Every structure is written in structure tokens, then in C-alpha cells.
Amino acid sequence: RPEGRVDERGFAALKEIGASLPSARRVGFARFKEIIREQFLIVLRDEERAIAALPNLLQADRRQCEEALAMLHRVLAACGALSREASRRLARIETLLDVPIVIPSEPQQQTAAE
């Protein structure tokens, strides 16, 4: 998020995603924090270059690219409506990766009458 805030709902969505992955693809919490820190510093150092590198990082496996974007959308949807700037950045990434994914709607809660 370009707003520079961490949202608990997004963190909870990340935890759910991590728990749903096969055990071979899971990383522990300490490693996860390390990965996030590394990625943050890479983007902070040269955002344009980091974004431009995304297609090369995921080019070998289109399914992996689609999966990554679907997970990103799931986390973003958990955090609520995107700002105009966040929407612009997301659209740019989707265009670079050529994999538009529809943001899933939040599950509707059942009422007591149902």
C-alpha cells in the first residue's frame, strides 16, 4: 500500500494464505518477516527497477504468476477499498504481468434469519 501503513486485516489474510499452502511451500514467521523486509528495501532503493523486474521473476510459470496476483488481490481485498494510487499501482503490475485478476468480493455474512 502506498499509504505506508500495515493493516491487520491484510496480515490476517497473509496468515490464512500461508496456512493454506502445502507444507513444502511454507516459511516460518521469522523467515517471512525477513523476506518482507528484503522486498521493502529493494523497492525503497529503486521502485521503478523493482517493478520492472517483476515479469522476469515470474516469466517461467504463468500459473505461478496468476497465483501470486490472486494472493495479492486476496490480501488487498481484506484491507478494504484501495486508494486511487494503490489502484493505479496494482493496474500497472497487472499490465506488466499481463494477468488481470478480478479482486474477489468479501464473503457475505449470513443473517440470523437465514
Side-chain angles (χ1 to χ4, degrees):
R1 290 199 173 248
E3 295 84 10
R5 296 184 320 249
V6 175
D7 189 303
E8 288 181 31
R9 298 169 296 177
F11 184 71
L14 284 171
K15 284 177 65 174
E16 287 177 21
I17 290 168
S20 71
L21 293 174
S23 59
R25 291 185 59 196
R26 292 183 195 162
V27 298
F29 185 68
R31 177 65 182 131
F32 175 74
K33 282 177 44 176
E34 186 179 312
I35 291 167
I36 296 299
R37 187 177 303 114
E38 289 171 4
Q39 295 302 309
F40 172 76
L41 292 173
I42 288 169
V43 172
L44 187 63
R45 183 171 183 187
D46 191 342
E47 182 176 342
E48 290 302 315
R49 190 170 169 200
I51 291 172
L54 289 174
N56 292 331
L57 294 172
L58 295 169
Q59 73 180 356
D61 187 345
R62 183 149 179 94
R63 185 183 59 75
Q64 184 182 28
C65 181
E66 290 170 352
E67 246 179 47
L69 278 174
M71 286 183 222
L72 174 60
H73 279 277
R74 185 171 165 191
V75 171
L76 293 175
C79 296
L82 295 178
S83 69
R84 181 178 290 156
E85 178 61 15
S87 294
R88 184 192 67 76
R89 288 175 180 220
L90 181 59
R92 180 175 177 211
I93 290 169
E94 288 175 341
T95 299
L96 277 171
L97 297 178
D98 193 28
V99 182
I101 304 287
V102 176
I103 296 177
S105 61
E106 292 188 35
Q108 296 182 2
Q109 296 183 0
Q110 294 181 337
T111 62
E114 294 179 28

